[in-house]
Amino acid sequence: PPGRKVLIVYAHQEPKSLNGSLKRVAVEELSEQGCSVMVSDLYAMQFEPRATRNDIVGCLHNSEEFNYGVETREAYKRGGLSDDVIEEQKKVQEADLLIFQFPLYWFSMPAIMKGWMDRVLVQGFAHEFPNCYDSGLLKNKLALFSFTTGGSKEMYAKGGISGDIRYLLWPMQHGIMHFCGVKVLAPHICFAPEFVSEKERKKMLIAWAQRLKTLWKEEPINCSPEWYFK
């Protein structure tokens, strides 16, 4: 609906890739609905994935012994995080929906996107024990993981060689997003695009566009271990 804000965190090196096209389709479709869409194109931004001392501007809370979690929490409180982190946190803060668009690497997200999670979702901003899971600080937001795989759907079936695709979603959807209070929409998975025809890839884009048309009517998944391991 008009007025909704969407942040697409996108990790692919090639705009002409299927991931690039999926991102483009999302921007077009959601903009057409009257949503305002922001894109963090991590490779184009040369986003720094490493969690280092450079993420803290000014004096350290404890200069004797460096603890990244503590230092970023304290820096967040006083507005002393590095500009690139603050910039991303602002986008997250504004967004009603976060879409993560990426190719699956080694059963997970690419390092540059994992680095985004590591650096942006700071304690005090995204979570603050005991405020995690349903009471995480980013509650009232939605997230959707949209990704491509190398392996086929059969390989990622429950009895398949790679195991149920849902097992891989547990650390990403539950361990990161749900931990921060974000509600998770069903993932959008394009299986093995490299091994299908151009026509099939077009169909994948059309299916994504179709889903986006009614996205705001969707209910989040049941954020419990059963969803992942049943």
Side-chain angles (χ1 to χ4, degrees):
R4 296 274 174 101
K5 291 191 159 73
V6 182
L7 170 61
I8 302 175
V9 182
Y10 162 70
H12 200 288
Q13 309 87 336
E14 174 51 67
K16 294 195 203 82
S17 64
L18 185 69
N19 274 277
S21 300
L22 289 159
K23 183 260 296 172
R24 196 177 61 249
V25 163
V27 172
E28 286 166 8
E29 181 53 48
L30 292 164
S31 301
E32 216 163 277
Q33 292 174 22
C35 300
S36 86
V37 186
M38 301 169 281
V39 178
S40 287
D41 181 341
L42 300 181
Y43 285 104
M45 291 156 70
Q46 300 194 343
F47 187 80
E48 168 60 83
R50 295 168 299 184
T52 68
R53 161 76 181 80
N54 297 336
D55 293 349
I56 295 98
V57 176
C59 293
L60 290 178
H61 179 67
N62 175 0
S63 54
E64 297 301 301
E65 193 178 320
F66 185 73
N67 177 320
Y68 186 80
V70 169
E71 292 297 342
T72 50
R73 181 192 70 207
E74 294 304 316
Y76 175 72
K77 280 192 218 164
R78 62 178 170 79
L81 288 168
S82 61
D83 290 346
D84 60 340
V85 174
I86 291 173
E87 188 61 30
E88 295 307 298
Q89 287 178 341
K90 277 193 196 133
K91 296 177 196 172
V92 171
Q93 199 78 65
E94 284 184 17
D96 300 299
L97 167 67
L98 308 167
I99 295 177
F100 297 96
Q101 182 65 60
F102 59 98
L104 196 69
Y105 278 10
W106 296 118
F107 278 24
S108 185
M109 57 187 93
I112 199 165
M113 184 175 279
K114 175 57 164 57
W116 185 95
M117 306 284 180
D118 292 349
R119 294 180 64 231
V120 175
L121 303 174
V122 167
Q123 189 177 344
F125 169 68
H127 57 91
E128 182 76 272
F129 193 81
N131 294 322
C132 50
Y133 290 116
D134 291 341
S135 61
L137 302 181
L138 301 182
K139 54 184 181 293
N140 308 327
K141 295 188 189 298
L142 292 168
L144 192 165
F145 286 82
S146 170
F147 60 95
T148 58
T149 67
S152 65
K153 195 168 185 173
E154 293 68 42
M155 289 169 78
Y156 284 110
K158 195 154 192 154
I161 185 110
S162 300
D164 192 328
I165 192 79
R166 291 178 182 219
Y167 303 157
L168 316 191
L169 293 164
W170 171 254
M172 299 192 268
Q173 293 186 162
H174 186 76
I176 304 177
M177 285 296 121
H178 185 203
F179 186 82
C180 297
V182 179
K183 291 184 177 64
V184 180
L185 297 174
H188 198 85
I189 309 167
C190 293
F191 288 99
E194 288 173 82
F195 299 103
V196 301
S197 66
E198 191 54 45
K199 193 174 164 200
E200 285 302 310
R201 283 197 290 274
K202 287 238 163 64
K203 273 191 195 158
M204 288 175 174
L205 295 176
I206 292 164
W208 178 224
Q210 282 306 115
R211 180 177 174 192
L212 288 163
K213 285 185 197 308
T214 55
L215 195 68
W216 302 103
K217 296 194 178 82
E218 290 185 20
E219 284 299 311
I221 65 165
N222 152 25
C223 274
S224 68
E226 290 89 76
W227 189 90
Y228 297 91
F229 301 109
K230 66 185 176 198

